[in-house]
Amino acid sequence: FITMNPATKGYGGRQKLPDNLKQLFRPIAMSVPDNELIAEVMMFAEGFSFAPKLAQKVVALFVLSRQLLSLQQHYNWGLRELKPILNLAGRLLQDTKASREEPLTETDESVLLLKAVRMNVISKVTF
């Protein structure tokens, strides 16, 4: 099993695989992951009650950021950046649930998710 990054302008110093080596490997197709579904499942696993709505909103934020912000090398609006935000939001949720007796509302969970986004993204955007 072998994976290779494409030999294009974005990947400096890469070369195409010679034809004699290409014959030894069978190509496979890959698909783009469903970030919204992944975010929803991670949020449910972290304890969020309103995960479907919040996952839709945070993924929409990432899609809009990718489309509207200028291209910078330190910007990453993919799944790799989304996962730490959801993990931090889960930790904030658990800490908040431990200190409160009543259940959290959708607004409470939204605020915690927004705090996690702000804590992770602000330093990258203001670089």
Side-chain angles (χ1 to χ4, degrees):
F1 188 72
I2 183 173
T3 61
M4 293 186 61
N5 288 331
T8 59
K9 291 180 183 178
Y11 295 99
R14 304 273 163 74
Q15 297 180 1
K16 292 190 177 215
L17 194 63
D19 288 333
N20 60 345
L21 287 177
K22 278 185 188 177
Q23 294 172 356
L24 298 173
F25 301 103
R26 182 174 39 149
I28 60 168
M30 298 183 77
S31 62
V32 177
D34 184 358
N35 288 356
E36 190 173 322
L37 180 62
I38 293 170
E40 183 179 333
V41 170
M42 285 185 67
M43 292 175 81
F44 271 130
E46 293 286 354
F48 281 87
S49 300
F50 302 96
K53 279 186 177 180
L54 295 176
Q56 183 180 12
K57 289 178 182 181
V58 75
V59 169
L61 172 69
F62 270 58
V63 169
L64 286 172
S65 298
R66 184 182 309 119
Q67 292 172 350
L68 298 177
L69 295 178
S70 63
L71 295 176
Q72 299 290 326
Q73 188 173 8
H74 56 277
Y75 287 175
N76 182 3
W77 304 110
L79 188 59
R80 183 173 287 167
E81 184 62 30
L82 182 60
K83 285 186 66 162
I85 289 173
L86 298 178
N87 288 335
L88 177 60
R91 275 184 268 143
L92 292 173
L93 180 74
Q94 296 305 320
D95 293 345
T96 304
K97 281 184 175 181
S99 65
R100 291 176 57 170
E101 294 176 9
E102 67 272 0
L104 296 174
T105 64
E106 184 178 355
T107 305
D108 296 332
E109 289 186 4
S110 298
V111 168
L112 292 174
L113 181 61
L114 187 59
K115 282 182 184 178
V117 168
R118 205 172 340 141
M119 290 169 73
N120 273 318
V121 173
I122 288 295
S123 63
K124 293 172 183 70
V125 175
T126 58
F127 179 75

